[in-house]
Amino acid sequence: MTFPSFRRAMLGAAAAVMMVPAVLSSALPARAEEAPKKEFEYVTLGDFTVNLPSSSRRMSYVVVSVTLETKSAQTQQFRDLSPRLKQAVLQRLMAMSVRQELRPGRTDPGVLRDNLFDSLAQLQEEGLKDVVITRLLYS
């Protein structure tokens, strides 16, 4: 191979390498547009601490962490309503405590979730997919 043909080959290779980013960048926006949007999002309501009735002098309580799974289109509505939603959760947990439905070893997380779902659906049913109990801790 002579120097001029070697030089042409090297320049051609360099040009090809320089074109790769341009070709890839033109393909990337199309892929970004095709990326599916999330159908559901999570809204964390936080931890709720509720005293439990006790016959002894020792205080006992339960900590329940609640997160909502919502449709993405309505997520902001749930965030805007979060003070009311938190109030509804706390009221339902306190009522369950008085009825002794929140007892260590006897609380069915499914029933707890259903109770909270019912309370929250009264405030904002549209867009509420699920209530997720992320922590259930007794002391």
Side-chain angles (χ1 to χ4, degrees), residues 27-37:
L28 287 178
R31 285 187 178 168
E33 292 171 10
E34 293 172 12
K37 293 185 179 181

Side-chain angles (χ1 to χ4, degrees), residues 45-111:
L45 293 183
D47 294 339
F48 298 87
T49 304
V50 177
N51 291 328
L52 299 174
S54 176
S55 58
S56 69
R57 289 178 148 294
R58 185 172 173 259
M59 293 277 299
S60 63
Y61 59 90
V62 63
V63 177
V64 181
S65 298
V66 179
T67 300
L68 307 180
E69 186 175 8
T70 64
K71 288 185 178 177
S72 294
Q74 281 91 14
T75 297
Q76 190 57 46
Q77 293 173 350
F78 283 92
R79 286 192 178 114
D80 293 343
L81 277 175
S82 73
R84 292 275 183 203
L85 297 171
K86 289 177 182 182
Q87 180 183 20
V89 168
L90 188 57
Q91 286 176 339
R92 180 58 66 107
L93 290 173
M94 290 172 66
M96 290 177 73
S97 172
V98 168
R99 292 189 307 263
Q100 300 210 2
E101 294 174 359
L102 292 176
R103 296 189 322 201
R106 300 205 178 213
T107 302
D108 181 356
V111 171

